[in-house]
Amino acid sequence: MGLSIEIQKKPNKTDTRKIKKPTDVIELNEIKEIQNAMQEHLLLISLDSANNIRTINLIGVGKRNLVNIDSKYIVRTALVTASERVILVHNHPTGDPTPSEADIHYTDKLYNAAMMFDIELMDHIVVGGSNFRSVFLETAKLAELARKKQKNEK
C-alpha cells in the first residue's frame, strides 16, 4: 500500500498592486466602483505578507443600510487565497462614511475570527461618496475620548 501526498500550492498571484498606506486602498478601481452604489457592497482585499494584493473579492451586496455576511465566509475566502492579511471595505449609500455600531461590532468579531487562523485584519474601511473612515481609527478615537471623559469625571 503506497502513501499518496498532495502538496497544496499558493494560488497564482494575478495582481501586481501593493498597499503601502491607507489611501492606496481608496485609490483602487474596485473601491471607486462601490463609493456611490445604492446598496451596501462588501469587498475583501486579500494580501500577502508584503502587502501585495492577492485578490479583491466582492463578498456580498446588501440593502440600503446593511450587508449581512457570516464572518466564516470571509475567513474561508482569506484561507483559500492564502492571505496573510486582509482589509475589509464597504460603502454607506447615505454618503456618510462614519462607522455604525454594527460596523464596529462586526469588525471586532471578524478580527478575532481571523486571528484564530493567523490572518491579520489590517483594517475595515467604510466609504461614502468620496470620503472614507477607518473603523480601526474611529474606535481608537472613541476609546481615547472615553478615557479622557473618565479622567475628567474623577
Side-chain angles (χ1 to χ4, degrees):
M1 179 178 261
L3 180 63
S4 175
I5 298 175
E6 183 178 329
I7 298 179
Q8 289 283 54
K9 296 180 182 177
K10 284 188 176 183
N12 289 335
K13 186 173 180 282
T14 57
D15 204 317
T16 58
R17 298 173 289 178
K18 183 174 189 152
I19 302 297
K20 296 177 185 171
K21 55 191 180 304
T23 53
D24 291 343
V25 173
I26 303 308
E27 295 302 317
L28 296 169
N29 288 332
E30 293 87 346
I31 306 308
K32 290 178 180 180
E33 289 176 16
I34 69 166
Q35 284 177 326
N36 295 305
M38 297 296 290
Q39 298 169 289
E40 285 198 8
H41 289 67
L42 181 67
L43 299 175
L44 180 69
I45 303 171
S46 302
L47 307 167
D48 65 15
S49 60
N51 292 347
N52 295 304
I53 297 175
R54 296 198 68 74
T55 62
I56 299 177
N57 296 87
L58 175 62
I59 298 297
V61 178
K63 298 178 182 177
R64 184 152 173 75
N65 64 348
L66 171 74
V67 60
N68 189 14
I69 302 294
D70 192 331
S71 58
K72 289 182 291 217
Y73 182 72
I74 293 173
V75 171
R76 184 177 338 142
T77 302
L79 289 168
V80 167
T81 58
S83 302
E84 300 286 331
R85 300 175 173 141
V86 295
I87 300 171
L88 205 58
V89 182
H90 84 278
N91 68 308
H92 279 176
T94 61
D96 179 3
T98 305
S100 67
E101 286 296 321
D103 293 338
I104 293 167
H105 174 74
Y106 186 78
T107 301
D108 184 53
K109 180 179 173 182
L110 181 59
Y111 179 86
N112 291 318
M115 288 302 291
M116 301 261 304
F117 294 93
D118 295 324
I119 298 168
E120 178 187 359
L121 176 60
M122 290 181 65
D123 207 343
H124 179 176
I125 296 174
V126 182
V127 296
S130 60
N131 299 312
F132 71 95
R133 293 270 192 328
S134 160
V135 174
F136 281 17
L137 290 177
E138 292 295 314
T139 54
K141 288 178 189 175
L142 290 173
E144 182 62 26
L145 287 173
R147 280 193 293 274
K148 285 180 181 179
K149 184 177 178 184
Q150 283 181 334
K151 192 184 247 187
N152 290 339
E153 289 176 354
K154 291 182 179 182

